[in-house]
């Protein structure tokens, strides 16, 4: 089959721009129509919107598509846009700078977890096939000067048309840009191009900054005679409202309910994705000040603990510590070489196997252990637990969540929570055996929540300003050993605080407080244990 054909570069840019807008934007069009339903009043505006975003593409392409660059650029954009369209259409996610960071930091297993036939078809029909057509195009040879002139005409023409459209429908556009800002987050490819530039900007800015040290005065006061042993578990994708400890109708915490735990039921996360929340949880910055480059260029609470002489170790059964544990002992438990408990994947419980040896080999000093769980990482919830935890059925045995019923999705997700319940109770068991030698405690917090199909949203990672509560309302649990100083931790007072609003902002200071590390960076007002309940 001979697909070769002759075309001018200007025509190719216009056709590619229209193609991308019309076929790569089901999610965008769907979300726009939800706000501006198709009726006699809105129809012309909707057409103008499609034309406007085609113009945006033409403006962008006319700036970068010249003789040799036109094919590689259009092909790259078509391939990426087809995948972006798949994820936006399927999960209602948005490709912003945080999502790009997530994608870059995703490991191969996580990527494989997302693969599906539908994704392949999107890639083939919206990406590979049109790319082949671009590849086969015989672009009319003209001098570079003429190409520049033709691009300039495209650029000016598209700008003039955009201006005319916006003026012609000024009432609609005023509401579209001001009141419905999140709608344009779905525009493909313009929004992910914008986000990539934003991400690259932040990346180069942070790479050049020297690491900012904090808490140089960190120390363990001589009055602190006993040794602390705290295990801090970073949960993954767990929702507070699916914990039976917080009143969920299914028994997802049967084992933790038997322990004397405190479950804080009003805790919000810093971000809606691992790559954002994780560094934020350990950062001195609260949510309002935090961003990824600030997190990367500053020390975190682990550095402060280490400076005070605490033995700090991070065990990871997730993708990585996202830079948080760069300066402390770190071990991955993702592969069977390190993790003794693996079936279809390595289990969180494997992180506990060598911990007693670690604890016994440290004869002096406090110990702070971080366990970073695989937890409820989606969309393949059915892979997140060993078979014996499949208590809630029927389950959703695919990563194509939209093919499953709401009940199946919830069951599968809740089974994975059951496994976390077991993992945390095993962690408490380990702490109990060390209770005679240490003041021991478990501190568990999830990094973010998850949408399970409410209003057609799936997974997580929506910009915080528009993220539904399911993605930001996280479980937080504390457990204290019998030998914990009752003056230091007033259990009954703390019990009265469990409905108080707390957030990831409190973690930095609560960890320092629990470890009894003194430093100028410690703020008692943000320490949950010291929180005054006003009575
Ligand atoms: Zn996460």
């Amino acid at each position: 089959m001979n697909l070769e054909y002759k075309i001018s570069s200007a025509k190719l840019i216009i056709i590619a721009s229209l193609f991308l807008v019309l076929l790569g934007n089901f999610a965008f069009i769907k979300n726009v129509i939800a706000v501006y339903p198709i009726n006699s009043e809105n129809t012309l505006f909707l057409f103008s919107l499609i034309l406007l975003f085609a113009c945006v593409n033409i403006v962008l392409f006319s700036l970068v598509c010249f003789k040799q660059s036109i094919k590689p650029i259009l092909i790259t954009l078509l391939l990426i846009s087809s995948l972006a369209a798949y994820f936006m259409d399927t999960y209602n996610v948005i490709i912003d700078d945080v999502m790009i960071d997530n994608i870059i930091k995703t490991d191969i297993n996580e990527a494989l977890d997302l693969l599906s036939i539908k994704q392949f078809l999107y890639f083939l029909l919206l990406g590979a096939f049109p790319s082949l057509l671009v590849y086969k195009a015989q672009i009319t040879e003209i001098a570079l000067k003429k190409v520049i002139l033709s691009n300039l005409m495209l650029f000016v023409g598209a700008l003039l048309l955009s201006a005319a459209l916006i003026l012609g429908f000024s009432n609609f556009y005023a509401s579209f840009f001001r009141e419905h800002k999140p709608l344009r987050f779905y525009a493909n490819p313009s929004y992910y191009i914008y986000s990539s530039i934003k991400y690259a900007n932040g990346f180069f800015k942070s790479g050049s900054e020297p690491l900012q040290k904090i808490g140089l005065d960190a120390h363990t006061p001589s009055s602190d005679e006993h040794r602390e042993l705290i295990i801090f578990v970073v949960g993954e994708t767990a929702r507070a409202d699916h914990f039976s400890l917080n009143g969920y109708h299914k028994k997802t915490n049967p084992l933790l309910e038997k322990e004397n735990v405190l479950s804080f039921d009003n805790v919000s996360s810093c971000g809606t994705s691992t790559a954002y929340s994780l560094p934020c949880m350990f950062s001195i910055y609260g949510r309002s000040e935090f961003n990824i480059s600030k997190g990367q260029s500053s020390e975190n609470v682990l550095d402060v603990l280490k400076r005070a002489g605490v033995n700090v170790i991070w065990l990871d059964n997730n993708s990585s510590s996202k830079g948080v544990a760069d300066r402390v002992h770190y071990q991955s438990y993702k592969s069977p070489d390190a993790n003794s408990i693996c079936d279809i994947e390595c289990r969180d419980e494997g992180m506990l196997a060598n911990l007693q040896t670690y604890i016994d080999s440290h004869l002096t000093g406090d110990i702070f252990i971080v366990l970073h769980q695989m937890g409820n990482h989606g969309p393949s919830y059915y892979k997140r637990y060993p078979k014996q935890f499949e208590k809630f059925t029927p389950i959703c045995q695919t990563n194509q969540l939209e093919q499953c019923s709401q009940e199946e999705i919830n069951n599968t997700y809740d089974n994975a929570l059951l496994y976390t319940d077991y993992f945390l109770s095993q962690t408490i068991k380990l702490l109990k055996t060390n209770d005679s030698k240490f003041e021991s405690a478990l501190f568990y917090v999830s990094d973010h929540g998850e949408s399970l199909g409410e209003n057609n949203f799936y997974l997580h990672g929506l910009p915080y300003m528009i993220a539904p509560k399911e993605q930001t309302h996280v479980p937080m649990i504390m457990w204290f050993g019998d030998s914990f100083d009752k003056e230091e931790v007033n259990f009954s007072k703390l019990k009265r605080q469990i409905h108080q609003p707390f957030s990831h902002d409190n973690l930095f200071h609560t960890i320092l407080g629990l470890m009894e590390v003194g430093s100028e960076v410690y703020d008692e007002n943000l320490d949950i244990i010291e929180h005054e309940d006003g009575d």
Side-chain angles (χ1 to χ4, degrees), residues 102 235-238 272-275 277 318 372 377 446-449 460:
N102 283 316
E236 177 60 67
T237 316
T272 62
S273 66
T274 310
S277 273
N318 202 299
H372 187 199
H377 197 291
S446 183
D447 60 346
H448 52 77
H460 54 263

Side-chain angles (χ1 to χ4, degrees), residues 309-367:
V310 175
N311 301 294
V312 181
I313 186 169
W314 181 299
L315 307 185
D316 203 297
N317 195 36
N318 202 299
S319 49
S320 78
S321 78
K322 313 286 178 195
V324 178
D326 280 359
R327 295 166 296 277
V328 299
H329 289 292
Y330 173 92
Q331 197 177 355
S332 168
Y333 274 73
K334 284 286 270 185
S335 82
D337 321 331
N339 192 326
S340 55
I341 306 179
C342 304
D343 40 74
I344 51 166
E345 67 182 23
C346 286
R347 298 299 176 192
D348 291 335
E349 197 193 350
M351 291 190 283
L352 301 175
N354 303 320
L355 267 190
Q356 192 57 54
T357 317
Y358 175 83
I359 294 166
D360 293 341
S361 66
H362 289 77
L363 300 173
T364 57
D366 298 336
I367 299 178

Side-chain angles (χ1 to χ4, degrees), residues 174-189:
S175 95
F176 177 79
F177 284 114
R178 269 190 228 136
E179 288 152 46
H180 303 292
K181 199 177 166 205
L183 283 179
R184 64 174 183 270
F185 296 163
Y186 287 96
N188 185 12

